[in-house]
Amino acid sequence: MKTYSQKLFGAICGGLLIGIPVIPQVASAQQSIPKVNPCPSVFYEEPHNNRVLVPQGCPPNALTRRLEAQGLLPPMTPPVTQTPYSQGMGGEAPLSRTSGINPCPRIYYEEPFNSRNVVPQGCPPNALTQQMQARGINPEQMIPPRPPVSVIQPPLPRERQEPSARLALVNNQVNVRLVNDTGAEVTYEVIGDTAPRSLQGKSNVMLRGLNAPVTLTLYRKDGGLVQVIPQPTSTQGMLEVRLDETTNFGQDKGTVRIQEDGTVFLN
């Protein structure tokens, strides 16, 4: 029969054997916790590059350099040249980013970001943003303004070339007699007035009552070149446009434009 001391010794040994496997599991669980990248690449991308201060020890971005130059930041430790973390949002791979990024993440309100990072526009101010506002510094003014976008207006046809013909309009209208002297079928269209139509070779058609400005497009269905010859007629407000074959690429035209002043341009 076991004595009381033997039973007590067996209970203690059994408890130790049960607890031994738990220790490696706890250590393994701690090792599996992913590390957070202290210098994510988002700090160096717009708009964060000009709105968010990088953490201590990270290479400075645009906003950090400006505040350091103005004496608004304490001296920083030498920047980290290498980091064991992937350049993701928080240590994850860049390919794992999603488009639905929270514009006001909680990290802006936790140390050290709370006292070093300017929150994005529209987010509640954190400690640093409040300090800058109390000193009369608007964080929005730290962002350099975008250069104005200049709109380049293309020159009008009459400013690029001499008109190919002139005619007098009647009540701002023009009649066009289109003559196809080629042996090929030609497709023509008056933009805003007619749908694409076909004109057989060695034939003609009259287009009446076109309101200026008029844009007439045409091309040969066989892919050949077309020489366009506009000619005013003796009838007021009427223009004859003759189409002829050509092998000269410089003579090939596909657009007839009749301006409100009666000038005619070819393109």
Side-chain angles (χ1 to χ4, degrees):
M1 180 177 296
K2 296 183 179 180
T3 63
Y4 174 77
S5 59
Q6 289 176 335
K7 292 181 180 180
L8 179 60
F9 178 76
I12 294 174
C13 292
L16 291 175
L17 292 176
I18 295 174
I20 289 175
V22 177
I23 298 176
Q25 294 178 2
V26 174
S28 176
Q30 293 176 349
Q31 293 177 357
S32 63
I33 298 176
K35 297 181 179 179
V36 177
N37 180 9
C39 306
S41 61
V42 70
F43 289 143
Y44 307 94
E45 301 173 358
E46 296 301 339
H48 301 82
N49 184 45
N50 284 281
R51 295 189 58 85
V52 178
L53 293 174
V54 297
Q56 184 83 7
C58 292
N61 59 3
L63 176 62
T64 307
R65 286 194 295 266
R66 287 200 301 272
L67 294 181
E68 286 179 339
Q70 297 176 11
L72 299 177
L73 292 180
M76 298 181 62
T77 56
V80 179
T81 57
Q82 294 183 351
T83 174
Y85 307 98
S86 58
Q87 294 297 314
M89 288 293 295
E92 74 276 17
L95 293 180
S96 65
R97 300 183 186 179
T98 59
S99 58
I101 299 176
N102 180 10
C104 306
R106 187 177 57 186
I107 192 174
Y108 287 136
Y109 307 94
E110 300 176 356
E111 295 299 338
F113 305 100
N114 183 46
S115 57
R116 293 194 58 83
N117 297 335
V118 177
V119 296
Q121 184 178 6
C123 294
N126 60 1
L128 178 62
T129 307
Q130 293 174 356
Q131 292 175 6
M132 296 180 66
Q133 293 174 346
R135 298 177 62 178
I137 301 175
N138 185 2
E140 299 298 325
Q141 297 177 352
M142 304 301 298
I143 304 177
R146 293 184 178 180
V149 178
S150 59
V151 179
I152 301 176
Q153 183 69 27
L156 298 175
R158 59 179 175 269
E159 297 174 349
R160 296 195 303 264
Q161 66 186 65
E162 290 296 324
S164 300
R166 297 179 185 272
L167 73 154
L169 305 184
V170 178
N171 297 326
N172 202 44
Q173 290 187 339
V174 59
N175 299 327
V176 177
R177 182 170 180 262
L178 186 61
V179 182
N180 184 6
D181 289 332
T182 72
E185 182 180 353
V186 172
T187 298
Y188 68 93
E189 178 182 1
V190 179
I191 303 301
D193 285 286
T194 70
R197 299 174 180 176
S198 296
L199 181 62
Q200 300 298 323
K202 306 302 180 181
S203 63
N204 63 83
V205 66
M206 179 67 75
L207 305 173
R208 300 181 183 274
L210 303 178
N211 293 316
V214 177
T215 301
L216 171 65
T217 62
L218 44 93
Y219 66 92
R220 285 175 55 173
K221 283 193 173 182
D222 61 0
L225 306 182
V226 178
Q227 182 181 8
V228 180
I229 306 172
Q231 299 175 342
T233 66
S234 58
T235 304
Q236 188 177 10
M238 181 173 176
L239 178 70
E240 183 178 85
V241 179
R242 306 192 72 91
L243 310 179
D244 201 355
E245 297 178 353
T246 181
T247 58
N248 188 341
F249 284 95
Q251 295 179 343
D252 182 49
K253 303 297 179 181
T255 304
V256 180
R257 302 182 189 276
I258 305 174
Q259 305 295 331
E260 294 176 332
D261 59 357
T263 54
V264 180
F265 295 93
L266 301 181
N267 296 103

